[in-house]
Amino acid sequence: MTQKLIVNGGKELTGEVTISGAKNSTVALIPAAILADSPVTLEGVPNISDVYSLISILNEMNVKTSFEGTTLTIDPTDMVSVPMPTGKIKSLRASYYFMGALLTKFGQGVVGLPGGCFLGPRPIDQHLKGFRALGATVENELGAMYLKTDEDGLQAARIYFDVVSIGATINVMLAAVKAKGRTIIENAAREPEIIDVATLLNNMGAKVRGAGTDIIRIDGVEEMHGCRHTVIPDRIEAGTYLIMAAAKGKDVKINNIIVEHLEGLIAKMEEMGVPLEIGEDYVRVTAPDGPLKGISIKTLPYPGFATDLQQPFTPLLMTAKGESMIVDTIYPKRIKHIPELNRMGANARVESDVILIEGGHQLEGAEVMATDLRAGACLVVAGLLAEGETVIGGVEHILRGYDNIVEKLTALGADLHMEDRED
């Protein structure tokens, strides 16, 4: 018996939903907090399994934590450096942020190679390039990364990333905040989550400038202290609910949104013909008068169309008239949702990593498997659209990134629940 998500499709969505704090920020903010010498309080933390995995890792390193509601307090005062437990590391990719944080905190660290969703090759070579430029030695032994600095500690450097990488940008920021001198990161990623992490670091006493641009300058400091920090809203969760509302909504208002973070998605929804009312911190979606229009999408680094919204967006394209096309330039192998959608009656195919979708086919409920986090969100959207019952396996992937998804969708009028069923 394993837990499945059961979705009875066809129900119209109405009402309001409030977006939680950003997963992709939170999983970096938590490792960043250990750089303080007194407690850090994070507000707006989402209730997702990745957060509990990170808390468990902190507890193993003697970091005291308290997580009540959406407020997480992290007290690293008595923290000790221990080899990172590989079992927990394998469950989430963001564990690699401990590499930069431990290097800064202790001058050394042992971190298991990161896990998380398999989306094809996602090398950490740019992370390691940055650490080495700052003066660290990095060795890979038996599936773990051994990081160490000499007695002089980390030294500032000019680092140019060969490819734009959110993870490498954040990790090198964490490593550089106490390095001696001014570190300059060029070809840095510009995602909102990077600005969020830089804001926390600066509130802790760091000197980070330029986050959100492609050049970040960091002047090393000797000490960092605790603070309070509110996590930004999750633009991917917000985008997913916008897509769900466009797929099955009659009148849905999505609250706690930073609209600027979603401009790539909103532009494509408007191109399809989705009626949107855009407010200062909300977007309201109403039912279109006629069929939506098929379009082409290419995922790009921020502020382009987010790769994390490519999979949830795919079922919406299946409701559109004509053919649509998706090219994912970030993760070309992010295509495992396509066979599952075809089980439900979709007409989609992959040619040379290009997804081609023929719209206008009614989806039917089926047994499907979420192979990763955003593929899981895709199947929830498909389940809402389908006639009959959709049974989604691999629920643990969905729970990694969506706070109270069953409760939020139920409040909008969807019919879904968790249930133990035989495989």
Side-chain angles (χ1 to χ4, degrees):
M1 303 288 284
T2 56
Q3 197 173 49
K4 308 283 176 111
L5 179 58
I6 314 301
V7 184
N8 293 301
K11 301 291 188 291
E12 211 169 48
L13 305 181
T14 58
E16 299 188 16
V17 62
T18 299
I19 298 306
S20 302
K23 166 194 174 285
N24 289 340
S25 275
T26 301
V27 296
L29 294 169
I30 291 173
I34 70 171
L35 299 178
D37 55 16
S38 54
V40 172
T41 299
L42 301 176
E43 298 172 336
V45 174
N47 182 28
I48 55 176
S49 61
D50 272 13
V51 168
Y52 291 101
S53 296
L54 287 166
I55 289 172
S56 179
I57 290 169
L58 290 178
N59 294 158
E60 297 222 8
M61 293 188 287
N62 207 38
V63 176
K64 297 181 180 68
T65 57
S66 169
F67 190 21
E68 297 181 9
T70 62
T71 301
L72 172 61
T73 301
I74 299 167
D75 183 357
T77 308
D78 300 318
M79 182 178 178
V80 295
S81 181
V82 297
M84 298 278 283
T86 303
K88 293 188 178 72
I89 296 298
K90 289 294 185 188
S91 69
L92 75 161
R93 184 163 184 80
S95 57
Y96 57 31
Y97 291 130
F98 281 107
M99 294 182 187
L102 290 173
L103 260 179
T104 295
K105 183 87 171 179
F106 297 108
Q108 62 179 3
V110 181
V111 181
L113 287 173
C117 297
F118 180 75
L119 303 174
R122 297 202 285 179
I124 60 170
D125 58 318
Q126 297 304 299
H127 305 238
L128 307 185
K129 174 183 178 177
F131 297 151
R132 287 174 175 137
L134 294 168
T137 59
V138 186
E139 303 293 339
N140 181 357
E141 295 181 21
L142 299 176
M145 304 306 298
Y146 287 73
L147 306 107
K148 193 171 184 179
T149 65
D150 60 25
E151 57 188 23
D152 293 330
L154 295 172
Q155 306 292 319
R158 181 183 288 267
I159 299 159
Y160 182 89
F161 289 132
D162 301 319
V163 295
V164 175
S165 166
I166 302 171
T169 301
I170 291 175
N171 228 342
V172 173
M173 281 169 50
L174 299 184
V177 287
K178 288 190 175 182
K180 296 177 180 68
R182 172 174 288 186
T183 296
I184 299 176
I185 303 172
E186 297 179 291
N187 199 27
R190 298 184 289 161
E191 273 70 7
E193 294 80 11
I194 291 165
I195 300 173
D196 203 17
V197 174
T199 301
L200 172 69
L201 293 172
N202 287 338
N203 289 341
M204 291 163 59
K207 294 181 179 178
V208 181
R209 300 291 179 268
T213 75
D214 60 358
I215 299 178
I216 299 175
R217 294 173 173 84
I218 304 168
D219 290 314
V221 299
E222 291 188 5
E223 294 183 354
M224 296 174 69
H225 50 76
C227 66
R228 296 184 78 88
H229 176 83
T230 301
V231 184
I232 61 171
D234 193 316
R235 63 193 173 101
I236 306 304
E237 184 195 22
T240 302
Y241 281 99
L242 282 171
I243 292 163
M244 291 172 176
K248 286 303 294 181
K250 179 181 180 183
D251 188 344
V252 179
K253 186 182 177 192
I254 298 102
N255 298 313
N256 193 34
I257 282 181
I258 299 177
V259 175
E260 292 79 4
H261 293 175
L262 290 159
E263 287 176 345
L265 171 68
I266 287 170
K268 285 298 178 181
M269 292 179 74
E270 289 177 335
E271 187 180 335
M272 290 183 75
V274 178
L276 301 175
E277 176 192 316
I278 298 171
E280 187 174 330
D281 61 353
Y282 73 88
V283 175
R284 181 179 169 214
V285 184
T286 51
D289 293 333
L292 298 176
K293 175 186 170 188
I295 59 170
S296 295
I297 286 173
K298 178 184 282 189
T299 70
L300 293 165
Y302 185 83
F305 193 98
T307 177
D308 279 357
L309 288 173
Q310 178 258 103
Q311 290 161 296
F313 201 80
T314 307
L316 182 61
L317 295 174
M318 292 172 177
T319 70
K321 189 175 181 180
E323 189 169 79
S324 295
M325 181 175 73
I326 299 173
V327 179
D328 196 328
T329 69
I330 311 297
Y331 297 126
K333 296 300 180 185
R334 204 168 201 167
I335 54 176
K336 291 190 175 181
H337 56 304
I338 298 302
E340 303 304 307
L341 290 171
N342 285 340
R343 284 174 186 252
M344 300 175 69
N347 183 359
R349 66 190 189 277
V350 179
E351 294 182 4
S352 301
D353 296 334
V354 176
I355 300 170
L356 299 169
I357 299 154
E358 185 63 46
H361 293 264
Q362 173 62 49
L363 297 178
E364 304 288 340
E367 288 213 19
V368 289
M369 177 63 67
T371 54
D372 57 76
L373 168 57
R374 306 306 173 185
C378 160
L379 295 176
V380 175
V381 178
L384 296 173
L385 282 166
E387 290 185 351
E389 180 184 85
T390 300
V391 181
I392 304 173
V395 175
E396 67 279 1
H397 292 298
I398 301 171
L399 301 181
R400 284 189 50 234
Y402 289 93
D403 182 353
N404 294 318
I405 187 170
V406 172
E407 293 82 357
K408 288 182 178 182
L409 281 172
T410 300
L412 291 175
D415 182 356
L416 74 168
H417 63 277
M418 296 288 190
E419 187 177 305
D420 287 333
R421 290 201 179 182
E422 288 187 14
D423 288 326

